[in-house]
Amino acid sequence: MPPQADQSPPADQSQADDRLDRQIAFLVEADRLKHVLRATPVVDGSRPENSGEHSWHLALYAMVLADQAPPGVSIDRVIRMLLIHDLVEIDAGDAPIHGDYDPVALALAEEAAADRIFGLLPADQATAFRALWAEFEAVQTPDAIFAKALDRSQPVVHILENGGSGWRDYGVQRDGFLRLVGARVERGAPALWRWLWARAEQYFM
């Protein structure tokens, strides 16, 4: 009998398959974000929003409100940032901004989550995605500052649509709201903050 032909795939095909294995594993893992419930309700108030929905909605916010971005902001980068910014909640959970939690412990949990979740990707994408997430968290670049402004704005819109119920539920006070929300939004999107505050102020008299 003639010798059996080598049935192993060529090296380049094997590498391509391995890359796809890692990419699909990451995408499957990302689906778990749909099960992380947030404190903010959906607009009609019927149920809590999940973090997957929040991330999608923020990407849409960036597209629609691109004209609110200061000069030099890359909306494409902002969209990418917002699509991945909450993936760490798969492991670390959602910590409501006005809730009671240890910020140091949360930051450590989110760093570990970022290492694990982005580490599922091929090395080049893992490095790029992890760096983009870290940029969002640091809130120092124009893209991250605008992205954070949108991240703080979207829950305000939902709560306004629900008659301020979220702020009442958490006992949010004027000073805390202005410090944790207002300052972030005004820094990245001043006109958007003026619009929001004109409608929210009545709940903090």
Side-chain angles (χ1 to χ4, degrees), residues 172-184:
V172 180
Q173 300 298 310
R174 181 188 180 103
D175 288 349
F177 180 75
L178 292 176
R179 176 172 51 86
L180 295 173
V181 177
R184 290 292 199 186

Side-chain angles (χ1 to χ4, degrees), residues 3 16 28 65 73 94 101 104 112 117 122 145 154 165 178-179 183 187:
V28 169
L65 299 177
V73 168
D94 175 62
Y101 62 91
V104 174
I117 294 165
I145 290 168
Q154 187 250 18
S165 61
L178 292 176
R179 176 172 51 86
R187 183 185 181 199

